[in-house]
Amino acid sequence: MLGIGWGEMVALLIVGLVIVGPDRLPQVAFSVARALKQAREWGQSIQQEFTQAVQPQVRQFQHLASLGQDIEDIVGGDDLLGHAALTAPAPLYLDAT
């Protein structure tokens, strides 16, 4: 549970008893547990929204990658496009001054 062992749990309980007191400790523990649960739910929600937002781009990239592989298979595996990009002249930039 949260990477906390029994020793740490006992230490937290003792510190909680000293700081909060035995009367309010259950109430504070319940509030902390509720806050942790809500934070975990928010994290899962954000992860799901991110996945849903990015998934179409990932699918499009995978499709384009498979098309590139198909083109390489048809051409014979030569890296013609990469070679052309490496040997193409650099564009000329005009100085506006």
Side-chain angles (χ1 to χ4, degrees):
M1 178 175 85
L2 298 174
I4 298 176
W6 283 105
E8 291 91 355
M9 190 73 79
V10 170
L12 285 173
L13 181 63
I14 292 171
V15 170
L17 281 171
V18 170
I19 293 176
V20 178
D23 296 337
R24 290 189 44 215
L25 185 63
Q27 185 181 22
V28 170
F30 181 74
S31 297
V32 168
R34 188 173 3 150
L36 288 174
K37 180 181 176 186
Q38 188 174 21
R40 188 178 307 128
E41 289 173 356
W42 284 345
Q44 290 172 350
S45 173
I46 290 170
Q47 183 179 12
Q48 288 175 350
E49 288 178 22
F50 179 78
T51 302
Q52 289 174 354
V54 172
Q55 193 62 35
Q57 285 79 15
V58 170
R59 285 190 191 123
Q60 184 179 10
F61 179 78
Q62 289 171 339
H63 177 69
L64 291 174
S66 70
L67 289 177
Q69 184 63 43
D70 292 344
I71 291 171
E72 284 185 20
D73 292 343
I74 291 170
V75 172
D78 293 337
D79 190 16
L80 296 177
L81 295 176
H83 179 69
L86 291 175
T87 58
L92 297 175
Y93 295 102
L94 300 177
D95 191 9
T97 60

